[in-house]
Every structure is written in structure tokens, then in C-alpha cells.
Amino acid sequence: MEKMSRVTTALGGSTLTGRTMHCHLDAPANAISVCRDAAQVVVAGRSIFKIYSIEEEQFVEKLNLRVGRKPSLNLSCADVVWHQMDENLLATAATNGVVVTWNLGRPSRNKQDQLFTEHKRTVNKVCFHPTEAHVLLSGSQDGFMKCFDLRRKDSVSTFSGQSESVRDVQFSIRDYFTFASTFENGNVQLWDIRRPDRCERMFTAHNGPVFCCDWHPEDRGWLATGGRDKMVKVWDMTTHRAKEMHCVQTIASVARVKWRPECRHHLATCSMMVDHNIYVWDVRRPFVPAAMFEEHRDVTTGIAWRHPHDPSFLLSGSKDSSLCQHLFRDASQPVERANPEGLCYGLFGDLAFAAKESLVAAESGRKPYSGDRRHPMFFKRKLDPAEPFAGLASSALSVFEMEPGSGSMGWFVDTAERYALSGRPLAELCDHNAKVARELGRNQVAQTWTMLRIIYCSPGLVPSANLNHSVGKGSSCGLPLMNSFNLKDMTPGLGSETRLDRNKGDTRSDTALLDSSATLITNEDNEETEGSDVPTDYLLGDAEGEEDELYLLDPEHAHPEEPEYVLPQEAFPLRHEIVDTPPGPEHLQDKADSPHVSGSEADAASLAPMDSSFSLLSVSHALYDSRLPPDFFSVLVRDMLRFYAEQGDVQMAVSVLIVLGERVRKDIDEQTQEHWYTSYIDLLQRFRLWNVSNEVVKLSTSRAISCLNQASTTLHVNCSHCKRPMSSRGWVCDRCHRCASMCAVCHHVVKGLFVWCQGCSHGGHLQHIMKWLEGSSHCPAGCGHLCEYS
Amino acid sequence: MFVARSIAADHKDLIHDVSFDFHGRRMATCSSDQSVKVWDKSESGDWHCTASWKTHSGSVWRVTWAHPEFGQVLASCSFDRTAAVWEEIVGESNDKLRGQSHWVKRTTLVDSRTSVTDVKFAPKHMGLMLATCSADGIVRIYEAPDVMNLSQWSLQHEISCKLSCSCISWNPSSSRAHSPMIAVGSDDGSPNAMAKVQIFEYNENTRKYAKAETLMTVTDPVHDIAFAPNLGRSFHILAIATKDVRIFTLKPVRKELTSSGGPTKFEIHIVAQFDNHNSQVWRVSWNITGTVLASSGDDGCVRLWKANYMDNWKCTGILKGNGSPVSGSSQQGSSNPSLGSNTPNLQNSLNGSSAGRKHS
């Protein structure tokens, strides 16, 4: 509270001072009204009727108007109004339909003056004439409005709205004889007080009940109405037909609306359910409230500006049994808190940016940040009533697009599409990928591929025979290689190299450990696998390998872990023929003349690499124990992959992982690999590189990944005889017990490519159907359908 | 380097958020005028508004796309205390002929009693989940148990943050090693300095979100928060828009070292802090690889930040909001990180390690 400001307003001699404050009432309030001296407020409710004086620091209870031991229904107030000319005169609307006037000047404790029991149901609203001392108007649930002259015992005239209940009645401030009334059916009526027979004008203002209305204090033609449809509408009543000037959309049904004094376009609203806040709107900016008071914990039922010429004090009563004085200066301002900018990075490096126009237009909108810690957030601009309205705030939206080739993600797409990941010898893959990277100007990546080639493959220049001979004198061969590696690749001095260097030290012990274990395991296999050699592979691959040969057709290999399929497997032979095997073992197998490697062993390796990782390990190890073993580098390679991943280039990490296969896989824990795979696949899918993504999925050895493209692909097939859906079992229909996929031409069961017409579902062997349809356009099954083969 | 393409958005009040979809071909904007617009990129690169509709009865603060696997789905949140899920309807209609698409509301999430300030879909691997945060300081996590039925969402978690929330960000990591995590920022303006960024982590054992970390050094109102896309990184990068731009790294301390079952402990480093906007920073957004951060502030500029190989973050570009010429290189000199000079005591509180170092 201490931060709340204090406002003093000079108003023609008298001064208004005060602060934001509240006081507890004994019971929920239904309505409040302010005395014309702006120093007292009356609060009325079902079981409360009290007058409080508004002191500087607090509310002080001055008078309790509920007197007598037996509470009377007449005291259960739905509305209260304080006469704006006579400080002693009040009127209340009772829930039992009685209109009561109160004279504070009476000497007795009971201030009740007059009782009008004319309405049959709850009186929703009472209203004094703004200039006539004795005229009181009431509107009731029974659909009637009554005008009372306080000098008489009964009503002067009765106005029938000819409809459901009256929710509000308000005398026009300038037009002496006019008042407006609002109805539960959404209508607003305008009456001349002298003509009770029919209304002057009627129009539908809202969809659903109109709960409240308020005449503009200055512009006599303006009427604000609020309804259950959550809208506040401002009508110009001067024209022949009521014209909607403004429409404010609030977030809950509008129970009360009050124009703000001295601010032409401001009005305050509160709701009767859900929303406990009071909002002040500028009707010209109908979407964002200019101010918001959040003090109440339950529905606000009554609002009143404290003084008809002071815009900064608002009083409110609430169902939470409290009475509040709100200072406009202490209001929260959603406009100020609202985020004025939107920013989003696009996939291709483009940026969408939306900003408040005043911020981007010129320097004028700039609000420099001052180091003030007390109000760090918003430089609360006091809503100055006299300030000219800048019109609706609007935003400028623009998209900054990357010029092609200037760091957009084009390189990623190119790289993904052009990298070769499998199907050729390692050396070739590395060379190819290095070339791709170099062409895209990514020299560090290119260098890395070259390094990998040097590490894991003997240089292509070294003939295989030469290599085989060098077994046993490893150090002599390994050292020069190491040197060349250093010279060539350390010079760029880029992050990865320095990093690798540094890591070498820490991980040396690990390497040794791995080394020893590896030799332990591989000792027994050494003899067998010695003959298998990458160099030969390389030559072999060189002879046959073209760049586009990424897939090897291998009809013999069916996936061993084939799950239960909906269709007979023969229906999709293509799918299973594209089996790509990790590069290493596949070439072992190709080399049929190798006497040492049994075909079945290699086969097993290619099908279930994880199980036979040890034997694979031995393959590579056996090759290189002549020189520095690749295991020596594996830690470096692992760290390099990690480095690339941490730098955001998961593409490189995954590509290397796939290309090197078993050579590095064992060094990286499964979870990390899986993380890389999922990240890369996600990225590929963002760029709609479905083919690459699918290739990566297939090449991955992680079970969680490789099952990705086996999920959620279901083919629903109907039997060609009974047209019923086929069960998951084979090619025999459950219902008609016939073979479903019979060839319509040769009447044999099709156990290969089955082609069928989507119109009549007849089909057969691809060859037969093609031949048939060359000569005839009718279905070979004789169903009369005109089939098309395209 | 950049070409500005100005778009006549035709929103009737401030635009509060823009969001690209998964493939970067669609864009959604939301505004205080209570509407959301969807923009589609044509072959020629122009953006066309293909849908515009009234979504809420208050300012729409945020709009966000779901993964396309779940359909063309948007979520929006508003001052009117609700969040809503929208789906594009495919079908032949008159709208289609006019190049307009039709969006229908699938659900309204009405649990908040105050303005819903942010809404974000969870990473795809978690299923169809949605988190909202509201001004009353509660983060709510909803799940659609049946991804085919977007009208049924169940409130799974309510996390109380004690502070008025302004923004949330899911940790996008798909690694099994990283449990689901959500960072929450607060724009609470009260002068008493409290940490404005909290990080909650899902605990498999208790099946609840528990606070994992609080960034004690961030005491100014936070307007936006964003985890960088995690492409296989072992650690997380978090960008924060407050009175300046800040970038933190959160490195999980290995599980074996911590007591099992408890929340993951993180080594938190501040790696960059820039006050170049010289004003409130409203938005931060990462590029797709999490290597470049864009920030926008009250100065009406977008600034791009990138780390060099030494992990020193530098300004690599400035874009003026009105599309005026970009002075990228000339500003380089002025973009010295304010680190060190401004915040000498800050680093001590962060595990005693200095900022701007490698994470190794």
C-alpha cells in the first residue's frame, strides 16, 4: 500500500484527496452511490445499508440505515441512488418490489421517508431526475417503469415496456424529458416522460439481456449500453436511427457501465460473473482496456466515479463484502504490459518480426532503459485525460528473408541430399562427402571427412599387397601416417582440432584400456579375418561404384525381424529388396573368394550388427594393428562427433556415425546415438527431406530408431470376392475362405507383385494384367469395369 | 544479407506474436484485435493470408503450431482467460475457391482465472501435450489422450510458480536422458527482487513436475524465454528476454553423482548478456539449429547473436524493424558483451565458474 500514490485534485475550491484503499463491509454489496459532496458513499445490499464517509486514509462508517430489530424485506436493496441535488435524499429499490426513499434530515433513527409498493416484482433500478428535485424513476422485473413525484403518495405515470423485465433506467442528462430503459430481451427504449402511452424509439442493442446503460455526461446524444453478450456499445441517439458508434468487446457479461468524467472516450465496466475486475476502456481502442483494477476477490456489483468532474477516483462495491476506492494512477495498464513485438525464426533463417509501428517508425517511440531498479518494468505513462489519442495502435509485420547463399539453411538441404552414407567402401564415402562439403564451402567439415578417411582406411595409394606385408612392423608404418595427418589437418587450427588435441590427454587411459580389451577379444579371430581387407574393397568399389548407387538390391535378404504383416509379403517385394547393409561386412561377403570368412558369419553380421559387434571389431582391428590402430583414434572421433553435435551440426554427427558404423558405434552410448538420430530425423522432416530421413532411419542401428518407419503404416485391403476387409492373416479371406489375391487372368494365387484396379479391386500378376489391358480396356475378371493401367 | 519483405497484416491492433509452423511454410499472427491470421507462403515467396478469424474475446497473446503429425493445429491464448485449440478443416467449400481455409475451434481451456499469457505445444515425442501459463502464476499442462480427438484435453498437471507468469518454454530435447522440462518466466513487476525464471522437471517416480532450478540472477521482469533447439546436445541453452538478452547453458550433472530419484542437478552458466537494445527486450527466438539467437526490443530492432568457435557470443547483425538498410558490420564494434563489467558478482554465484567458457 505504501507504494500507492496519493492524489489531490482541486475542484473549484474543494479538494479531493485520497489513496487506493478498501474497507470491509459486513455483507456483500449490491450497489453503491456517491453523495454529491464526493465525501460520502452509500452501500446497499441484501443485508447491508450503510453510509461511509471517504476520509483521506480510510472509509469511516457514518450511518447504518438498517434500523429496527426485525429486518424487513423492504431493506433488501437491489439498487441505491443518492440524489445529486439534495444531500439528504436517497432512494432504494427493494428486491420485493418496493421503492423506498430516505431522508437523512429526519431527526429520528429511522430515516425512511416514503414507501411506494406499486411494482409486483423486484425493482432493478431507481434513478433520480438530474435536475428535478422530486422526480424518481424506477424499473422493475415486472416489465414496468414508474415515475414518482416525491410530493405525492403514488406514481405519476407508468410506462409499459411491452416486454420482459426492465434492467436499467437512466434519465438523459441534457434532455429534460427523455429517459432510456434497457430490457432483458436486448432492446433499448427511449421514452418521453410526458408520454407514457408508447416509447419514442426502440431498437435492439444487444444479443441477450441489456444489463445497463449510461448517458454520456457531455455528449448528450451518446448512450453506452452493456449486455450479457460481453459487449459495450456506444450509440449516437441524435440521429434518426440509433447509430452504433463504438463497440467494446469485454471478456465477460457487462453488469455496469459508467462514463469516466472529463474523459470523453473513457468508460468503466464491471461484470456480474466470472470476472472480478473493473476495466476502464477507451472506446476508440475497443480491444485492450486502458486500465484495470484488480482489487476485488468476488464479482464487482457497483461502480461509481467519486466526483462528476474528477477522473481519477473510482469507488466500487463488491460481493466480496468490500468497498474500494481505486486511484486511476494505481491501476494496472494492460496496454503498457502488452507485448508490443512478435519475433520468430523461420526454418530457412528467415525472421518474421511484428512490432508496434511507433517503435519501428522513428526514434520517437524509443524508451531508453534507465537503470532505475524501482520501476524497472514499465515507464508508466500516466494516462493523461487531455492527451490526444494517437488512434489505434497497430503493428508492422515484415519477414526478413535470407538472401540465397548467405547463411540460410540451403547448405543443410544440399548436404543432406548429396551425402553418401552407405553402399560403397568407407574410403569412397569419405571422399565423396568431403567433396560435397568442400563444394558447399564447408571446409572444416570436408577436412574432417578427409581425416576420417585417413584414420580408418589405408590410403588408396598403398596397394593391398604392400599393406599385408607390413604386418608386424606397425610402428614404422604408423608414424609417417601420423605425421602427415598432423601436418595436414592441424594447421587450420579450428575449434575441433584444438579440442581434440586437448582431449587426447585425458582420455589416453581409456584408449589403452580399450586397446587391450580389443586385442584380447580379437586374438582368436585374427587368423581368420586377416585376409579380408578394405584396400581390396576400395579397388573393387572403384571399379563398379557410381555415385548414384546408394542402394544395393539384395533379394535374398528378408528382414529377419519382420513383424506380422497385413499382407502377404510378396505383395511388396520392392520394399524388402532395398536392404542396405553396413558397408564393412557387406563387402566382406561380396568377396566370395576370401577363404577365411564364412559367408554365414558375414551374413549374420550384416543382419544383426549389434550381436556380432565383437567379430566386426576384430575385422577392423586385425587390419590395422600393423599401424596405429583405429581404436587409438576412436576416442578422438567420439569427441569430434560430440563436438559437432554440441555445435548444432547434428547432421555431421549422424552422417559420420552411419558411415563409420561399427568403428565408432561402440564408443558412444546408445542413448546419445538415439538422441542424435531423432534430432537429425526431426530436422530432415522439417525440411521435407523424407527420402533422406527414411534412409537415415533405415541405416540406423538403434532399435528405437529403425522401428520408426515401421510404425503407423497400415494397408487396409478388402477381399476381392466378398468386398469385406481382410484380416491380418495371409491371403485367404476369413469370410469366403477363398484366396483373395487370385490373378484374374491366369487364376492362380499371386505370390509376387500384385497389381489391382482401385475401382473394382480385381487384379493379378503385373505382367498378365499389363498384357491384358493392352488388348482390352475391360476388367479381365469380367465384372464390366473399365480398368485403367497407368 | 537480409531482404525485408513487408506484409500488410491488417490487424486492427497490436500484433503480439508471430509463429512459423514446423516446415516454415506457414505463419500465424495474433493480435489484440482478438483475431488470429494464418499466412501461407506461395511459390514466389509471397505471404498470403488464407484465414483470419476471431478467436477470443480479449487480446490474443500467443499463437503456436502443433507438430504437423497431429494435423494443422494451432493453439492460442488470451487475456480473456482462456486458451483454445484450432484445427484447419480440409474440404471443398466456397472458402477453398477463394483461397481461404477454414479453422474450427476444437476446445477451449478455461481453467485459468486470469489472463493466459503463453501457450506452447510439448515436443512431439511427448505426444499431444500443451502447456499454458497464466498471470496468476500457474502453469497448466494438458494432454489429448487421443491424438485423433482434439476436443478432449485433460488437465494433467498444475504447477504453482508463485509469480505472475509471462512465458514458458519446453525443453525440446528428444533424448531419453533428458526428462521433460519446462522453463517459466515471470514479468511480475513488484520491486522486491525475486528470481523470475524457474525450471520444472518431470519426475518419473512421482509423476509430477518439480522445481529443478531457479535462475537466481534474473530478477527483472522476463518477457520471453526460449530453449534452443536441442540437436543432439548433451546440455541445454536457454535464452531470456528481460531488460537485456541473456543466454544460459544448463548442463546436467551426471545422474550417477546425484541421488537417484531427485530432480536433475544442473551446472548453470551464463554465457552471454547483452544490453545493446538499451531497453526492454521483448522477444527471443532461436534459429533451427540453435546456433543463432534473434532478439527484439523496445528499440524496434532485431539483433542476431551467434557464438564463435570459442563460445563467445557476438552480435552478427542488426535488422531495423521498418526494413531500412541493415548495418551489420558497422555495429560490430559496439557490441561488446557487457559481461564482466556489468555483472562482476554474478558469476561468483554461478558455481564460481566464469562465463563465456566452453562446456567441456
Side-chain angles (χ1 to χ4, degrees), chain A residues 125-140:
Chain A
K125 200 75 189 178
V126 282
C127 175
F128 280 115
H129 195 277
T131 50
E132 199 60 57
H134 304 287
V135 179
L136 176 68
L137 191 64
S138 68
S140 159

Side-chain angles (χ1 to χ4, degrees), chain A residues 101-164:
Chain A
T101 61
W102 307 79
N103 185 355
L104 300 181
R106 281 171 71 118
S108 73
R109 266 187 71 221
N110 191 348
K111 309 290 185 190
Q112 187 171 321
D113 196 17
Q114 268 180 296
L115 217 65
F116 302 100
T117 50
E118 294 190 21
H119 285 294
K120 295 193 177 55
R121 297 183 63 192
T122 300
V123 179
N124 284 323
K125 200 75 189 178
V126 282
C127 175
F128 280 115
H129 195 277
T131 50
E132 199 60 57
H134 304 287
V135 179
L136 176 68
L137 191 64
S138 68
S140 159
Q141 198 75 15
D142 61 12
F144 292 99
M145 295 145 279
K146 286 178 188 290
C147 183
F148 305 96
D149 187 326
L150 300 184
R151 293 162 295 196
R152 294 172 53 169
K153 285 256 181 286
D154 47 8
S155 62
V156 180
S157 45
T158 301
F159 310 88
S160 168
Q162 304 285 345
S163 82
E164 301 160 61

Side-chain angles (χ1 to χ4, degrees), chain A residues 667-685:
Chain A
D667 295 319
I668 298 163
D669 63 288
E670 185 78 359
Q671 223 168 41
T672 309
Q673 287 187 37
E674 204 180 298
H675 188 196
W676 291 350
Y677 274 118
T678 51
S679 303
Y680 186 43
I681 290 164
D682 181 75
L683 210 50
L684 290 169
Q685 291 180 348

Side-chain angles (χ1 to χ4, degrees), chain A residues 183-201:
Chain A
F183 293 86
E184 209 131 84
N185 60 3
N187 286 346
V188 172
Q189 295 180 351
L190 223 57
W191 291 83
D192 188 317
I193 203 156
R194 298 161 298 186
R195 295 191 57 186
D197 51 331
R198 62 180 190 85
C199 64
E200 297 281 289
R201 191 191 288 179

Side-chain angles (χ1 to χ4, degrees), chain A residues 275 339 341 395 401 674 678, chain B residues 3 15-16 81 176 283 297:
Chain A
D275 193 357
N339 197 327
E341 287 174 345
S395 291
E401 282 167 10
E674 204 180 298
T678 51
Chain B
V3 186
I15 296 173
H16 297 297
R81 306 168 175 198
R176 277 187 288 127
R283 285 284 189 245

Side-chain angles (χ1 to χ4, degrees), chain A residues 4 14 40 63 104 118 169 184 188 194 211 214 225 243 310 348 402 498 565 575 611 665 687 704 716 718 724 743 790:
Chain A
M4 300 290 189
S14 72
Q40 297 175 83
L63 189 61
L104 300 181
E118 294 190 21
V169 284
E184 209 131 84
V188 172
R194 298 161 298 186
F211 289 134
D214 194 32
T225 59
K243 198 172 95 191
D310 184 287
F348 301 92
M402 283 289 217
T498 49
Y565 268 96
R575 176 189 165 101
D611 303 335
R665 201 171 291 141
F687 286 97
H716 297 280
N718 285 3
R724 299 258 178 77
C743 177
S790 52

